[in-house]
Amino acid sequence: MKNLTNSLIGGIAGAIALNILHQTVKQFVHEAPRVDLIGEEGIARGMERAGFKPLTGDALFSVTLVTDLISNSAYYMMIGMGKKKYLLYHGAAHGLCAGIGALTLTRPMGLSDAPVARTNATRLMTVAWYTFGGIIAGWTTKALRK
């Protein structure tokens, strides 16, 4: 149970770090990835398909942010299922896979990939930031296991 709790806390830490990085850098760097726009598009389309009027503006952004934190926390939580001595490697690998997934899975899901793939710098930042989140999750989980 203790490892599960540590893994959850590590996953939350990675997700928060990732989102702080995304939200901060987009204010200053034009080429920064805008994963939030992909999330907003997905949530709005899902609501329409379910027969609801889609959210807009701050309400849509808030729901997207909460959904992103929950899903990334759950994903990064899996890093903690590994052995303690490999947690940073698992974090980097999970983050790398998440970043590549953000680049390659948007179009097959019917979403625009422009917010994460418009330039090579945007692509690189997308992968690097998810990797950063994974490393933070692994490092936090490892620190909690001491």
Side-chain angles (χ1 to χ4, degrees):
M1 184 66 169
K2 184 177 177 182
N3 278 350
L4 184 61
T5 301
N6 292 342
S7 297
L8 176 59
I9 293 169
I12 291 168
I16 289 171
L18 171 65
N19 277 280
I20 287 172
L21 185 60
H22 273 288
Q23 295 305 316
T24 301
V25 177
K26 78 176 186 181
Q27 304 298 320
F28 304 103
V29 179
H30 175 71
E31 293 85 11
R34 295 294 309 274
V35 179
D36 54 319
L37 298 178
I38 295 171
E40 288 178 357
E41 180 185 1
I43 288 171
R45 282 191 184 179
M47 290 181 75
E48 282 178 340
R49 289 182 182 152
F52 296 102
K53 181 181 176 190
L55 299 172
T56 59
D58 288 343
L60 179 58
F61 176 78
S62 297
V63 169
T64 301
L65 184 60
V66 169
T67 303
D68 193 47
L69 286 168
I70 292 169
S71 61
N72 284 324
S73 294
Y75 178 75
Y76 285 145
M77 179 183 166
M78 293 186 295
I79 294 165
M81 302 301 159
K83 292 184 179 183
K84 181 180 171 184
K85 68 180 185 175
Y86 298 118
L87 289 175
L88 293 179
Y89 299 116
H90 286 197
H94 275 75
L96 182 65
C97 289
I100 293 168
L103 295 178
T104 60
L105 296 176
T106 49
R107 274 203 176 151
M109 293 171 55
L111 302 171
S112 171
D113 67 348
V116 292
R118 63 185 176 277
T119 69
N120 286 335
T122 307
R123 290 181 190 98
L124 180 63
M125 283 185 269
T126 299
V127 174
W129 292 353
Y130 277 99
T131 303
F132 170 76
I135 291 169
I136 294 296
W139 177 82
T140 303
T141 304
K142 185 174 182 175
L144 290 170
R145 285 196 187 172
K146 288 186 176 183

